[in-house]
Amino acid sequence: MAISTSTPPDGAPGTAAPDGSGSGAERRSTLLHRLDVRGAPYAFVAPFFVVFAAFSFYPLVYTSWISLHRVELSTLNVMEWVGFDNYTALWDDDRFWNALLNTFTIGVLSTVPQLMMALGLAHLLNYQLRGSTFFRVAALTPYATSVGAAALVFTMLFERDFGMINWMLSLVGIDNIDFENNKWAAQTAISTIVIWRWTGYNALLYLAAMQAIPRDRYEAAAIDGASRWQQFLKVTVPGIRSTIVFTIVLSTIGATQLFGEPLIFGQGPNGITGGADNQYQTLGLLLYEEGWKNYQMGRAATVAWAMFLLLIVLFVVQRLVKRVLARRA
Amino acid sequence: MTTDSIPVETADARPGTVQKKTRKNAPPGGRSRQLFRHPGAGRQHHAGPLAYILLGIAALFSLFPLYWTMVAASTDNTRVTQTPPPFLPGPHLLDNLGKAWQDAALGKAMLNSLIVAGVIALSTVLFATLAGFAFAKLRFKGRNILLMLVIGTMMVPPQLGVVPLFMMMTELGWGQQLPAVIFPTLVSAVGVFFMRQYLSEALPDELVEAGRVDGAHSLRIFWSIVLPIARAPMAVLFMITFVHAWNDFFWPFIVLDMSNPTVPVALTQLSAGYVRDQSLIMAGALLGTLPLLAMFVVFGRQIVGGIMQGAVKG
């Protein structure tokens, strides 16, 4: 066993044999031993919790405090109490509702096709394949590109006058689409970037779960006369349900945060506002616009809280849907 | 204690066997069993031509934008803006790469990204292995609650704390400095969870107990028993974290500026100008992606295996 490779530490307090009588050194060593056994686990998990508390939890709580103040980017230490003014202003702001709706529509446009395609891809990868490693690595490669690079490339592919996608559409007789200025075209283009980067990643998660499904379930289904398509629906999909829920949660979180893709798709000045008419401004972009373009950090914090509330609402809805589905199954 | 699984798991627990294990679990194992089964009974169907065609299309969809980045980066701006667009590489690749390197200050950005992603990946792996070991194999009060907390923190998007974090960094004097990017991401809940899952399976309780009987203290057990066993998943976690840290955009974009950017931040510079040279933009995009693509070519199989290992199964 591997233990033979680990030599006991020379002269470390723990090496004292436990069978002797209670000499002073020994008592000290058992004390140290007990301290080690009790304390070490906490020492091992402490770094995670310390860093998380300092840089994630504390800021999250402090966000709510800031959102009740007027704070300007240039004078961050001057905080003027305004109560819920930022919230009422946000409620009355058309840009907020527009960004909320855009976040939702782009989220649906990117998440639903992405997960459906990932499911199909995982199913294909689950066949016995020649070159399966190639197909798996190829599927995952987009995951290695940064938002920056991917968005730049797709922005060019979606270019109005010379972009490759419009050129291909022209081959089948469709006129040039102004992907930047047409609201739905822009949102579709942005969703495409998201879909491209994450489909393979999700497919691999599904594939791992599919390979853990016991074989006899398929055999039982085949004996009962289920076709391959029925086997997929009745065995595969229920078999990986918890993974599907997991990816839905991850994609939803990702969708509410969407920032880099629309920013870069807007190519500079129009990026932060999400297009000339805010046609693809997400909540992430609105947060940035309020804080770092309009210099109103208090308002930016309010947008952050709105994003948090949105997530909570989505999770409650997801829970309810899950419960209803579980009852039906 | 998981006595029933130990004989199997110890065989797999030697360092360096993880990739083999994933490979073994996947198609080959299925194939040997498949021989004795009635066709259509098992799940491991052989792929037909349609499956290959569909997979081929998927691979094309995945790889074409990258190929085309290279094509566009190797032509000049007038050629790339003509229709039909170019499909074959042109002669200007090196020129464009050199110009993009200068225009976007990519030298500094690359170095910054390397430092940021390297430090974050190292510390994430170290702390995730420590915490993962504690959660998997050590008994302590509040273990379950703390583990639930770790899982809960995966749900908290970093965007929500970004305003106070920016104020903190300004106060600390870290604005536009790399520590502002590094510190908030030194640990990862996903990493802790990943290592816990691996160690609770691959590390037999007997080994830890044997270490204790021999009088090794916890840190010693971690160093001499856990680390050798966890080497392979640590490598995978390192690569995954490195990719994420290299590609991270939102927070670096906010806290850094063009004088001291990471690669994704520097790339925004390329498209923000009024004179837009598309070939140059593509050259920059290519440069920013190349290090990770190289990593994928070399370690693709391990990264794929690692992501599949970290998946929630069942």
Side-chain angles (χ1 to χ4, degrees):
Chain A
M1 262 173 131
I3 189 65
S4 57
T5 59
S6 73
T7 48
D10 304 314
T15 49
D19 55 339
S21 58
S23 76
E26 188 134 319
R27 228 177 297 130
R28 205 181 45 143
S29 87
T30 36
L31 187 71
L32 274 175
H33 175 74
R34 279 176 53 193
L35 202 69
D36 173 53
V37 170
R38 290 259 173 90
Y42 297 105
F44 287 179
V45 301
F48 172 83
F49 287 103
V50 169
V51 175
F52 182 81
F55 295 108
S56 296
F57 186 69
Y58 165 73
L60 179 64
V61 174
Y62 197 36
T63 296
S64 54
W65 182 243
I66 295 170
S67 72
L68 301 173
H69 292 78
R70 182 188 165 89
V71 191
E72 298 211 13
L73 184 63
S74 49
T75 51
L76 285 176
N77 46 357
V78 183
M79 290 175 64
E80 182 194 333
W81 172 265
V82 293
F84 285 93
D85 284 6
N86 286 329
Y87 288 91
T88 49
L90 193 69
W91 185 269
D92 293 331
D93 191 342
D94 288 341
R95 287 176 315 151
F96 169 67
W97 297 105
N98 173 57
L100 185 67
L101 192 64
N102 286 342
T103 306
F104 181 76
T105 52
I106 298 177
V108 171
L109 278 176
S110 58
T111 306
V112 174
Q114 179 195 152
L115 296 183
M116 302 273 247
M117 279 161 59
L119 198 58
L121 188 59
H123 181 68
L124 291 173
L125 289 170
N126 200 23
Y127 281 114
Q128 263 194 49
L129 281 173
R130 275 169 200 283
S132 63
T133 305
F134 165 77
F135 287 119
R136 287 177 193 184
V137 174
L140 193 64
T141 307
Y143 163 84
T145 56
S146 64
V147 181
L152 287 177
V153 177
F154 274 86
T155 303
M156 199 169 165
L157 291 173
F158 279 110
E159 222 280 338
R160 187 188 63 197
D161 296 318
F162 59 84
M164 183 168 293
I165 289 169
N166 267 332
W167 173 74
M168 286 198 286
L169 289 176
S170 74
L171 295 182
V172 292
I174 298 174
D175 281 342
N176 272 7
I177 297 173
D178 188 350
F179 281 102
E180 155 78 21
N181 290 315
N182 179 313
K183 176 171 178 155
W184 291 108
Q187 295 201 1
T188 308
I190 290 163
S191 304
T192 308
I193 308 172
V194 181
I195 293 170
W196 181 72
R197 282 185 71 220
W198 292 100
T199 298
Y201 180 84
N202 286 308
L204 287 180
L205 297 187
Y206 290 156
L207 177 61
M210 283 179 187
Q211 292 187 339
I213 299 176
R215 205 167 284 265
D216 28 324
R217 285 198 213 161
Y218 288 93
E219 279 163 30
I223 289 165
D224 287 347
S227 68
R228 282 192 184 185
W229 174 243
Q230 283 168 324
Q231 287 181 28
F232 176 74
L233 283 186
K234 305 274 174 178
V235 181
T236 308
V237 173
I240 62 169
R241 197 164 63 194
S242 56
T243 309
I244 294 179
V245 171
F246 178 70
T247 55
I248 291 175
V249 169
L250 282 192
S251 313
T252 307
I253 294 176
T256 51
Q257 304 172 31
L258 199 67
F259 177 75
E261 289 89 346
L263 179 86
I264 295 166
F265 186 75
Q267 304 180 351
N270 273 345
I272 294 167
T273 52
D277 299 319
N278 306 121
Q279 68 269 29
Y280 51 88
Q281 184 172 49
T282 59
L283 285 174
L285 283 178
L286 181 64
L287 189 162
Y288 185 82
E289 186 187 16
E290 289 288 31
W292 283 270
K293 195 180 164 217
N294 301 340
Y295 309 130
Q296 295 297 329
M297 303 301 269
R299 287 193 169 206
T302 317
V303 179
W305 257 97
M307 287 169 79
F308 194 35
L309 285 181
L310 174 68
L311 263 183
I312 291 172
V313 168
L314 284 173
F315 282 130
V316 170
V317 169
Q318 185 250 335
R319 274 273 144 137
L320 289 177
V321 170
K322 203 177 149 191
R323 193 173 297 172
V324 169
L325 286 181
R327 204 172 291 161
R328 239 194 254 164
Chain B
M1 275 211 296
T2 53
T3 21
D4 50 342
S5 70
I6 278 159
V8 191
E9 291 300 336
T10 24
D12 275 335
R14 255 173 273 119
T17 50
V18 170
Q19 298 94 319
K20 260 188 235 144
K21 189 177 149 200
T22 4
R23 240 178 283 159
K24 242 186 284 162
N25 279 354
R31 194 182 301 152
S32 61
R33 272 200 223 165
Q34 188 72 33
L35 289 175
F36 304 101
R37 281 186 199 281
H38 187 269
R43 122 189 94 103
Q44 285 274 334
H45 300 292
H46 282 277
L50 182 65
Y52 280 104
I53 292 171
L54 290 174
L55 280 170
I57 294 172
L60 195 71
F61 182 68
S62 285
L63 298 179
F64 181 76
L66 295 169
Y67 168 74
W68 196 76
T69 308
M70 198 269 287
V71 171
S74 65
T75 56
D76 56 44
N77 194 40
T78 44
R79 177 66 191 94
V80 88
T81 52
Q82 282 165 11
T83 40
F87 283 94
L88 292 174
H92 300 291
L93 183 61
L94 290 179
D95 294 354
N96 285 335
L97 290 181
K99 256 173 105 183
W101 180 272
Q102 288 202 323
D103 282 14
L106 276 175
K108 184 158 200 191
M110 288 262 185
L111 185 67
N112 281 345
S113 279
L114 202 66
I115 294 171
V116 166
V119 171
I120 289 174
L122 271 180
S123 86
T124 299
V125 168
L126 173 68
F127 292 136
T129 314
L130 270 173
F133 167 54
F135 280 124
K137 293 292 159 178
L138 302 179
R139 315 253 156 256
F140 56 99
K141 244 187 209 164
R143 180 169 91 148
N144 290 333
I145 295 171
L146 289 177
L147 185 63
M148 288 309 289
L149 263 176
V150 171
I151 295 170
T153 60
M154 290 187 210
M155 309 283 171
V156 180
Q159 268 73 356
L160 306 181
V162 86
V163 173
L165 207 53
F166 183 82
M167 292 164 77
M168 264 166 85
M169 294 307 169
T170 314
E171 208 153 300
L172 286 168
W174 285 352
Q176 288 100 46
Q177 304 292 319
L178 296 187
V181 180
I182 293 173
F183 271 90
T185 18
L186 276 179
V187 296
S188 127
V190 180
V192 172
F193 191 66
F194 176 79
M195 291 309 298
R196 189 202 91 101
Q197 296 301 87
Y198 178 84
L199 286 174
S200 40
E201 272 189 31
L203 175 66
D205 291 348
E206 271 73 3
L207 274 184
V208 180
E209 277 158 31
R212 286 242 188 270
V213 170
D214 283 354
H217 50 97
S218 302
L219 203 58
R220 178 85 207 179
I221 292 175
F222 177 75
W223 185 259
S224 305
I225 301 175
V226 178
L227 280 190
I229 285 178
R231 209 178 287 160
M234 284 168 79
V236 165
L237 183 61
F238 182 91
M239 287 188 281
I240 293 173
T241 315
F242 192 92
V243 171
H244 272 276
W246 183 283
N247 286 340
D248 195 18
F249 180 67
F250 183 72
W251 176 240
F253 179 76
I254 284 177
V255 82
L256 298 180
D257 63 15
M258 285 306 161
S259 67
N260 193 28
T262 56
V263 170
V265 177
L267 287 183
T268 60
Q269 177 80 345
L270 281 174
S271 70
Y274 283 96
V275 184
R276 303 170 46 77
D277 184 331
Q278 301 285 354
S279 293
L280 218 55
I281 294 175
M282 289 299 103
L286 186 62
L287 277 175
T289 315
L290 269 182
L292 292 192
L293 283 185
M295 199 159 107
F296 256 62
V297 170
V298 180
F299 297 112
R301 186 199 287 270
Q302 277 84 341
I303 300 176
V304 165
I307 286 178
M308 287 177 61
Q309 230 178 39
V312 187
K313 297 189 181 162

